[in-house]
Amino acid sequence: MKDSFLVTGGARLVGAVRVSGAKNSVLKLMSAALLAEGTTTLTNCPEIADVPYMAEVLRGLGAEVELEGSKVQITVPDQVEHNADFDAVRQFRASVAVLGPLTARCLKARVALPGGDAIGSRPLDMHQSGLEKLGATTRIEHGCVVAEAQRLRGAEIKLDFPSVGATENILTAAVLAEGTTVLDNAAREPEIVDLCNMLNTMGAKISGGGSNTITVEGVEKLNPTTFEVVGDRIVAGTWAYAAAMTQGDITVGGIDPQHLHLVLEKLKLAGAQVETYPQGFRVVQNEKPAAVDYQTLPFPGFPTDLQPMAIALCTVSNGLSVITENIFESRFRFVDEMMRLGADASIDGHHVVLRGVKELSSAPVWSSDIRAGAGLVLAGLVADGVTEVHDVYHIDRGYPGFEDQLRSLGATIERKVR
């Protein structure tokens, strides 16, 4: 966990990369496998640290999990343990995704309040409220969220905010509830669509995935399935910003470019040439980028997970940019590290004002979360000298083979193992 990256600035990144399945989908699909007895197989899985973490959570619940490169096989017994192990769960936020499946399958769940990235509070109130409307009682007890029910029944549920995690837990509970559930103001992210598609291949009856309103007709039983994980739009977007920052030329495959429509439009405004293909895109930047304003919003808005990359780009753009963060209040911790590198930035509440500089200056910096770590590596690519990025275990949780792919594009980057 003490590894760091030594990043040498000055390279223009050129070449092609292919993204694997989405971190923000695969962990939820692994959790959803708990809904059906038998063996579910997931393909196109990213080889990242969070996948074996989730495997440990599922093993603690009685499942057998085999990890074979990009394939994950999950064999679920007829009786599932309802108590999610504290030591496994506390390592990462996505572990809370077992709450809905356990409540549906066991009619009770006890899940330790999870850890994860230091990007701000992410309370479970909407998760709990949704489960309660389905007929469960919930409480926070001894550092765990506890849900219990005699039976689950469909309900009309409206979220105060289109929370991805709450949408996922409500869906995975509602699929085995009696009757019809209508979820209004649901999250619309491609990863939600992926979950709906997988559940439907298991025998669920879900319509409206990707829209504001999702309807679930409860069924008595689900069956195991084989399913391919959707491409990772955040990793793909990171490569797009790497091309723009280094005035490079990168082709990205394995992703539906419509999942990054606004992201690619923003890069066009910054001066990039963008070509899209059925399962990929190309970004070419031939001159210093122009300043662009951003505000993060739920999909189809600009993703908060790409906010650090947008900030990194704006620090070396011509002109003044204003970045507004509407999702996670602590994500601007990243800005403090960018200022170590010479960024001209000022923070005002949930806004940051950036004035582009000619060049960043190398310095030791620290990752506070997955995306901040990746953003700092990109910044190191356009800084003079060698930038040491510490705590890169965060990056390992979200980016498979990150340094290898960077080197394939022409970057000079070395992992320093301690």
Side-chain angles (χ1 to χ4, degrees), residues 93 98 106 111 153 180 280 283 305 331 375:
R93 177 70 185 184
V98 301
C106 307
V111 181
R153 292 180 174 174
T180 302
V283 175
D305 279 355
R331 200 139 222 174

Side-chain angles (χ1 to χ4, degrees), residues 37 124 129 185 280 331 365:
E37 179 185 351
L124 299 181
S129 175
N185 200 27
R331 200 139 222 174
V365 290

Side-chain angles (χ1 to χ4, degrees), residues 189-307:
E189 275 73 2
E191 296 80 16
I192 295 292
V193 177
D194 213 33
L195 177 61
C196 292
N197 289 342
M198 176 178 156
L199 291 171
N200 283 339
T201 70
M202 298 172 73
K205 297 180 179 178
I206 303 173
S207 59
S211 72
N212 289 322
T213 303
I214 300 176
T215 302
V216 183
E217 301 287 345
V219 298
E220 291 186 4
K221 180 182 178 182
L222 294 179
N223 302 303
T225 189
T226 297
F227 191 79
E228 181 178 345
V229 183
V230 71
D232 197 317
R233 62 193 173 100
I234 305 303
V235 173
T238 301
W239 296 125
Y241 273 86
M245 285 190 67
T246 65
Q247 296 181 40
D249 180 350
I250 300 177
T251 299
V252 182
I255 185 70
D256 182 347
Q258 288 303 309
H259 295 169
L260 287 166
H261 175 73
L262 181 57
V263 172
L264 297 177
E265 289 300 311
K266 288 287 188 180
L267 288 177
K268 289 179 185 177
L269 292 175
Q273 301 170 33
V274 178
E275 299 176 55
T276 59
Y277 315 106
Q279 280 299 310
F281 59 85
R282 179 185 181 191
V283 175
V284 183
Q285 184 87 30
N286 291 318
E287 56 189 9
K288 192 175 179 68
V292 177
D293 293 339
Y294 294 85
Q295 62 171 326
T296 64
L297 290 168
F299 189 85
F302 191 86
T304 183
D305 279 355
L306 286 176
Q307 181 245 78

Side-chain angles (χ1 to χ4, degrees), residues 140-163:
I140 303 296
E141 179 181 270
H142 304 303
C144 297
V145 57
V146 179
E148 297 173 331
Q150 295 296 318
R151 65 199 304 187
L152 295 180
R153 292 180 174 174
E156 293 189 3
I157 302 170
K158 183 171 183 178
L159 296 178
D160 294 334
F161 176 84
S163 161

Side-chain angles (χ1 to χ4, degrees), residues 45-89:
C45 298
E47 296 182 53
I48 55 175
D50 273 11
V51 169
Y53 287 163
M54 181 59 82
E56 283 305 304
V57 173
L58 300 185
R59 290 181 184 123
L61 297 170
E64 296 179 8
V65 185
E66 295 182 18
L67 308 178
E68 302 174 12
S70 63
K71 182 171 73 172
V72 175
Q73 285 191 318
I74 304 163
T75 301
V76 180
D78 60 346
Q79 296 293 321
V80 176
E81 169 61 46
H82 73 279
N83 191 2
D85 176 73
F86 182 80
D87 287 337
V89 167

Side-chain angles (χ1 to χ4, degrees), residues 88-126:
V89 167
R90 68 179 180 177
Q91 297 183 78
F92 65 121
R93 177 70 185 184
S95 56
V96 78
V98 301
L99 179 63
L102 291 180
T103 304
R105 186 82 192 279
C106 307
L107 293 179
K108 56 185 176 180
R110 185 182 183 87
V111 181
L113 294 173
D117 294 327
I119 56 177
S121 63
R122 294 189 275 188
L124 299 181
D125 53 345
M126 284 187 284

